[in-house]
Amino acid sequence: MSLFVRETLFYKTFFTLTLIIGLQNLITFGVNLSDNLMIGGYSESALSGVAIANQIQFVLQMLVMGVSEGLVIMASRYWGANDIGSIKRIASIGMRLSILVGLIMWAIVFFFPQSLLSLFTNDQSVIAEGAKFIKIICFSYIFFSVTSILLATLRSVETVKIGFILSSTTLIINVCLNYVLIYGHFGFSSLGVQGSAIATLSSRIIELIIVCIFVKRFDRKILLKLRDFFTIDMELFKHYVKLGSPILMSNFIWGIAMATQTSVLGHMGEAAIAANSIATTIFQIVSVVVFASASATTVVIGKTIGEGHMDKIKAYAKTLQMLYLIIGLCTGAALFIAKDYVLDFYSISAEARGLALQFMTVLSITVCGTAYQMPSLTGIVRSGGDTKFVLYNDTIFMWLIVLPASALCAFVFNLSPLVTFICLKSDQILKCFVAIIKVNRFKWIRAFDSYSPEAKENVAL
């Protein structure tokens, strides 16, 4: 079988989705970068405090993303079967779960901010700055949860431009408000990290308003109405739980693992926290196409299965793997080149600067592994119907190998932050060997099992 399929529509769909989702992710991470840069120019303690506070928010993002991914996998299949009614019912299920997650995370963060932040560091100045930030930012959780589900629903039917427009607007608003509120311009008081939190909260509210207007006035594919979210299809809900609960659990475990990684580095000093925050933020900016390729794959594979073209899946999977490798090499080169220039924007110590350079060098290598194994497993395997494998794989690698080994490096053998960081990122390479075997055995392919008579009829036609 040829490594590359010869279908113009396949490449057009994949690259269009990847490009637009990538641009959306770029702007989204640009919001984080603007916070990172402006807070980094304010003080290193503030940067470290916001960094550990954002790790708690990252857990929320991973949970909401888990709900969204389950939605996209199911809805894209019904999109392929031209069953809009089922897509609306799936959106209703996803919305309820996402709001529930947002409410739980808000309650935990609002009532126990100091206790949560103390899990990441013993530095009281860092905890104090983080607490100022997180007690405001937690009110954005519900807005973020609702917006994410609406965007995921639109993405499942290949409507992705609104995400880019939305993120661009959010970036402009966030940067302007950061400039005014963090440092105190145009007659406003200097609020520091609290100003950054207010800016992000305001951006999230405006973001939700814009996407609601788009859904109400401009979307012509799904035609979502408010009443669609007040009904629930129990058969679809059972199917969603069966398919989506492993994704949600996997993302939760991954989010906790990332927070634990920050905690390991956080107990190695303020410089390590700041360096990890900078390196991770720059990595996210550079690797937007990597993560976008996984999202694009979910729609491409899910829609193809929904259309009933099972004979195309293997060829698509082989081609996608080659594309991932090319994307990974380009991303690694871009990060390696950029690392020497970005640090000039930060007001940090020489120690933090040196560690940030070392961390980014490591990431420029491991991103090649990330670019292959992450979309292969979360894009191809999950959208093919095997949603449990990633859960098992991540649990074994992260909790039985990476985190125990890293804890030994940091707290038992007292090795350097660089060695600990290498250990923390080693799974990105190791998982590639698992991904190669899993994907190319093709046992992850599941036929479209619809509970909708309309979808079955459309597939049959």
Side-chain angles (χ1 to χ4, degrees):
M1 183 183 295
S2 173
L3 292 177
F4 293 95
V5 298
R6 298 180 179 180
E7 293 181 22
T8 303
L9 182 60
F10 166 79
Y11 292 105
K12 181 180 179 181
T13 303
F14 175 76
F15 283 115
T16 299
L17 289 172
T18 299
L19 177 61
I20 298 176
I21 295 172
L23 287 172
Q24 178 191 340
N25 290 344
L26 179 62
I27 301 299
T28 300
F29 289 132
V31 174
N32 296 337
L33 180 61
S34 70
D35 288 343
N36 205 259
L37 288 172
M38 291 186 176
I39 289 294
Y42 186 76
S43 77
E44 190 169 316
S45 293
L47 174 62
S48 299
V50 171
I52 61 174
N54 279 336
Q55 285 303 310
I56 299 170
Q57 183 167 317
F58 180 73
V59 175
L60 167 77
Q61 291 173 338
M62 292 304 296
L63 287 170
V64 173
M65 189 183 300
V67 176
S68 300
E69 287 177 8
L71 185 157
V72 173
I73 289 172
M74 287 186 65
S76 61
R77 293 187 173 199
Y78 283 103
W79 174 238
N82 195 30
D83 182 358
I84 302 300
S86 292
I87 294 175
K88 291 183 177 183
R89 292 190 288 274
I90 293 167
S92 173
I93 294 168
M95 185 65 75
R96 291 164 185 258
L97 292 175
S98 186
I99 291 175
L100 177 62
V101 168
L103 284 172
I104 292 172
M105 287 296 296
W106 170 82
I108 294 172
V109 169
F110 184 77
F111 291 108
F112 308 102
Q114 300 279 350
S115 300
L116 285 173
L117 294 170
S118 64
L119 297 173
F120 296 90
T121 181
N122 297 321
D123 192 317
Q124 292 304 311
S125 64
V126 173
I127 292 174
E129 292 293 327
K132 293 177 187 177
F133 181 82
I134 203 169
K135 289 205 73 172
I136 297 173
I137 203 71
C138 67
F139 286 97
S140 71
Y141 291 175
I142 299 299
F143 300 105
F144 171 78
S145 299
V146 175
T147 300
S148 297
I149 292 301
L150 292 175
L151 289 176
T153 304
L154 293 169
R155 188 167 67 248
S156 69
V157 298
E158 301 176 79
T159 300
V160 291
K161 290 182 181 179
I162 177 59
F164 171 64
I165 296 171
L166 196 65
S167 298
S168 301
T169 305
T170 302
L171 175 62
I172 294 170
I173 294 170
N174 195 68
V175 168
C176 293
L177 290 177
N178 271 337
Y179 178 76
V180 171
L181 298 176
I182 292 176
Y183 297 100
H185 292 287
F186 303 112
F188 286 85
S189 300
S190 175
L191 299 178
V193 294
Q194 291 174 307
S196 177
I198 293 170
T200 302
L201 173 58
S202 302
S203 300
R204 294 300 184 200
I205 294 172
I206 296 171
E207 192 176 57
L208 176 58
I209 293 171
I210 293 173
V211 75
C212 286
I213 292 172
F214 177 85
V215 168
K216 178 69 174 177
R217 298 291 185 186
F218 300 101
D219 174 57
R220 292 294 175 267
K221 292 181 180 178
I222 311 176
L223 301 175
L224 278 170
K225 306 294 182 184
L226 184 61
R227 63 175 177 269
D228 294 325
F229 296 101
F230 291 99
T231 59
I232 187 167
D233 185 319
M234 290 309 299
E235 286 298 324
L236 271 178
F237 178 73
K238 293 175 184 178
H239 189 39
Y240 183 96
V241 170
K242 180 180 178 180
L243 184 73
S245 56
I247 301 174
L248 186 63
M249 184 60 65
S250 176
N251 282 23
F252 176 69
I253 289 173
W254 184 256
I256 295 296
M258 291 298 100
T260 305
Q261 287 191 13
T262 300
S263 178
V264 171
L265 291 170
H267 286 85
M268 300 184 80
E270 186 176 319
I273 300 175
N276 181 52
S277 174
I278 294 168
T280 302
T281 301
I282 301 304
F283 169 78
Q284 289 174 335
I285 293 288
V286 175
S287 60
V288 289
V289 176
V290 171
F291 297 97
S293 68
S295 298
T297 297
T298 299
V299 177
V300 170
I301 297 294
K303 182 183 178 184
T304 304
I305 292 175
E307 291 172 336
H309 298 314
M310 304 300 294
D311 55 310
K312 297 182 177 182
I313 300 299
K314 290 185 179 181
Y316 285 179
K318 287 184 175 293
T319 297
L320 287 167
Q321 289 176 79
M322 298 304 297
L323 295 177
Y324 299 153
L325 291 174
I326 295 170
I327 291 171
L329 291 172
C330 293
T331 303
L335 181 58
F336 186 79
I337 293 169
K339 66 181 176 59
D340 294 311
Y341 299 99
V342 296
L343 292 177
D344 293 335
F345 294 98
Y346 290 90
S347 176
I348 54 176
S349 64
E351 181 185 4
R353 181 185 180 90
L355 284 174
L357 281 172
Q358 293 174 346
F359 289 176
M360 281 190 279
T361 301
V362 172
L363 289 172
S364 68
I365 298 171
T366 60
V367 72
C368 297
T370 305
Y372 173 73
Q373 61 85 15
M374 190 275 295
S376 291
L377 295 176
T378 65
I380 296 176
V381 174
R382 270 184 181 172
S383 60
D386 188 350
T387 58
K388 294 181 180 179
F389 182 80
V390 176
L391 170 62
Y392 302 147
N393 191 54
D394 284 348
T395 301
I396 292 170
F397 271 100
M398 189 56 67
W399 291 98
L400 299 183
I401 300 175
V402 170
L403 288 176
S406 301
L408 289 173
C409 288
F411 306 126
V412 178
F413 301 114
N414 295 316
L415 298 178
S416 68
L418 174 60
V419 174
T420 303
F421 189 81
I422 291 172
C423 192
L424 287 169
K425 302 303 176 184
S426 61
D427 64 313
Q428 299 304 306
I429 301 297
L430 297 175
K431 285 180 182 176
C432 290
F433 300 102
V434 175
I436 290 171
I437 296 172
K438 177 63 178 179
V439 174
N440 293 293
R441 290 178 68 185
F442 299 109
K443 293 184 178 181
W444 43 268
I445 301 175
R446 307 284 192 271
F448 184 34
D449 184 14
S450 172
Y451 290 92
S452 165
E454 181 182 347
K456 291 178 179 178
E457 181 180 345
N458 290 338
V459 171
L461 293 175

